[in-house]
Structure formats: C-alpha cells, structure tokens
Amino acid sequence: MKSKVFSLFLILFSLLLDCGKKEAPKLPGDRKDLKIGICPGPYGDLLKKGVFPDLEKKGYKIQIVQFSDYIQPNLALASGDIDANLFQHVPYLKKFTADKGLKLAAIVNVPTAPMSVFAGKTKNPKDLKEKGSIALPNDPTNQLRALKLFQELGFIKVNPDAIPTKASLNDILENKKQIQFLPLEAAQLPRSLESTDFSAINGNFAIASGLDLTKAVILETLAEEHKNIIVVREDEKDSVFAKDIVSAVQSKEFEEVIDKDFKGFQKPEWFGKKK
C-alpha cells in the first residue's frame, strides 16, 4: 500500500516538474520568418538586392507582400498579417496612424525615388492653356508636395503656411489659368497622363509604370521627412528582427547596391554621417 502511495506521489511530483518547465516566452519580434509589405515600384528590388542577402545570412526567411494602394499596408501591419512595410514617408505615417488609431513606428529611412511631374497631352509647361487639366495625389501630404512642384513650374501659388497633414486644393492661393486639378489615388496617376496635361506621380508608381525619371518635366528635391521609411509595429521597434533590418540597411553592401542599381534615388542624411 505504501509503495503504491509513494509511486503516486512520484507521478504527481513529475507532473508538477513538467509544468514548471514551460519555455520562456519569446520577446516581441524574436522570429525568423518575416513578411514585408510594399507597393508597386522599385522597393521590392531594393529590399531583395540590398537588404535580404544580409538578413538571409542571419537565418531569416523573407516574403514580399505587394499591395496596390497606400491604405492596406499599414492596416495589414497593424493586424499582424505582415511584419514590416516600406512604402511611405513620415508625414503620411503620422496622419494615417492618428486617423486610424494605429500603433506603428518607423525604424529607418531609405534612399527614395522623388515625386516627379510628367507631361501628358501637353509636353511643354509653357504651353499649358487656360483651364488645362492636372492630376495629383489625393492624400494631403503628397498632394501638398505636388502643389509645390506645380508652383515651381509657375502654374500656381501655394499657401506657404499649408499644413502637410491637412493640405488640400484650398491651399492654392493663385490659379490664374484656372487649372482644373484632379486628385487621384497615387496608383492611378500614371494612367492619367493619357487624359490630362500634366501629372505629379510618386516615384515608386512612376517607375512601376515604366516611366523614366530622367524624362520628367521636374523632379522634387526631397525633404528628409519625405524619404521612405521601413515601419514595424510600435511594440516591436526594438525587437531583434527590427535591429537586424536597420543593420542591413546601414551596411556597406546596401550602399553599394544603391550606387549601382538605384541611380537618381535621393539618399537619407545618415548615409553621409555613417562614414
């Protein structure tokens, strides 16, 4: 009888020990399978050529997930469907997360193709007629960037105090030619060249549609805040995988890829400081 009781005690004791051997919980971001969201354009190639080789050496398996607009990549990131994204700049991220109540954070910015104005039905800006048509992005931050390019071309005058996150066509102070502005989703802008006189097109969508940035009417000089950023969930900004992504982006190998295959891209300020 005593031996049976003792055996039962040993079994219970073993079970208790097993329960105490639970694996320590992994830290946020402590994983090797990653999904990174992008929009059409050159940034998938930028990641594949300049970032993934370094990450793969560290044991990462990475999948590119492509989105067709500027809305879904942040929603997918917030919901956990992807682990990071690369498509936006800081002002857009701030406005989008504030509007949607999302907790996302930028970890590093990368060389970026500038917004450009391309000729559609009219080839020379000097030939733009009264009530000509111009297409531009419909989100506030990118719309203001476009308006400033059209101001450089002498088409309009823009409110110098316009707030990027709240900008609209109402910030046009002077429009002597009564230009008709057509706000569109960024992905639709390349197609608008067939029906408008000029279009301001985000660099990634211009390249994705086969447009040559060197043939643009005018190229934007990017402010630092308008250079594209890699974004993760806020609680993973200090994670292992986030730090490894930053390390790969700031590597010598990445810079060599940019200099060779992404000529014309405007580099972040840290490029010059890291040497």
Side-chain angles (χ1 to χ4, degrees):
M1 181 69 179
K2 288 182 179 181
S3 61
K4 289 183 179 180
V5 172
F6 183 71
S7 297
L8 181 60
F9 173 78
L10 286 176
I11 292 171
L12 291 172
F13 185 70
S14 297
L15 290 173
L16 287 172
L17 283 177
D18 288 338
C19 290
K21 290 180 181 178
K22 290 182 179 178
E23 292 185 8
K26 290 187 177 182
L27 296 173
D30 186 14
R31 55 185 178 278
K32 293 290 186 179
D33 292 326
L34 302 177
K35 293 181 180 179
I36 301 181
I38 61 166
C39 288
Y43 296 103
D45 285 339
L46 184 147
L47 289 171
K48 290 175 183 177
K49 292 180 179 181
V51 178
F52 289 3
D54 184 82
L55 292 177
E56 288 167 353
K57 288 177 184 176
K58 295 176 181 177
Y60 287 93
K61 294 180 180 179
I62 309 141
Q63 178 184 342
I64 288 285
V65 180
Q66 186 155 305
F67 297 89
S68 61
D69 60 41
Y70 283 172
I71 297 172
Q72 296 306 315
N74 279 337
L75 297 180
L77 178 57
S79 67
D81 292 336
I82 59 176
D83 305 286
N85 65 42
L86 170 58
F87 76 97
Q88 65 196 314
H89 50 59
V90 169
Y92 183 88
L93 174 68
K94 286 182 176 179
K95 183 172 191 328
F96 192 94
T97 53
D99 289 347
K100 302 292 184 181
L102 306 180
K103 293 184 178 181
L104 307 178
I107 55 173
V108 67
N109 59 358
V110 302
T112 303
M115 181 179 286
S116 311
V117 173
F118 286 90
K121 295 187 298 181
T122 300
K123 304 307 176 186
N124 191 323
K126 294 180 181 179
D127 296 331
L128 182 63
K129 297 179 180 179
E130 295 279 333
K131 297 185 179 180
S133 59
I134 287 179
L136 73 173
N138 64 357
D139 65 279
T141 54
N142 285 315
Q143 190 167 108
L144 183 58
R145 293 167 64 194
L147 290 176
K148 288 181 177 179
L149 284 176
F150 294 128
Q151 178 172 254
E152 284 189 51
L153 290 171
F155 294 166
I156 57 175
K157 287 187 179 179
V158 181
N159 179 6
D161 299 321
I163 301 171
T165 57
K166 298 179 180 179
S168 71
L169 297 182
N170 291 328
D171 285 303
I172 299 173
L173 300 182
E174 186 178 294
N175 183 7
K176 289 183 178 179
K177 289 192 175 183
Q178 300 180 57
I179 296 167
Q180 307 299 305
F181 286 95
L182 179 64
L184 297 173
E185 287 286 341
Q188 303 301 319
L189 288 165
R191 298 178 188 175
S192 71
L193 289 172
E194 297 177 4
S195 57
T196 60
D197 292 291
F198 295 96
S199 293
I201 305 174
N202 296 71
N204 62 313
F205 286 113
I207 293 172
S209 65
L211 292 170
D212 184 347
L213 294 183
T214 65
K215 295 181 180 179
V217 172
I218 186 173
L219 290 173
E220 173 188 32
T221 299
L222 286 169
E224 190 68 7
E225 67 177 3
H226 290 144
K227 289 166 187 171
N228 281 357
I229 48 179
I230 296 178
V231 177
V232 298
R233 286 180 288 280
E234 193 173 85
D235 65 349
E236 293 188 333
K237 65 181 179 181
D238 296 316
S239 65
V240 175
F241 87 79
K243 290 180 179 178
D244 285 341
I245 288 175
V246 173
S247 176
V249 169
Q250 295 182 342
S251 69
K252 181 181 178 181
E253 291 75 16
F254 179 78
E255 185 171 4
E256 290 173 350
V257 167
I258 296 301
D259 289 340
K260 178 184 176 183
D261 297 329
F262 298 91
K263 291 181 173 63
F265 280 51
Q266 295 178 20
K267 298 176 181 178
E269 290 178 357
W270 59 258
F271 252 82
K273 295 178 181 178
K274 69 187 181 72
K275 294 180 180 180

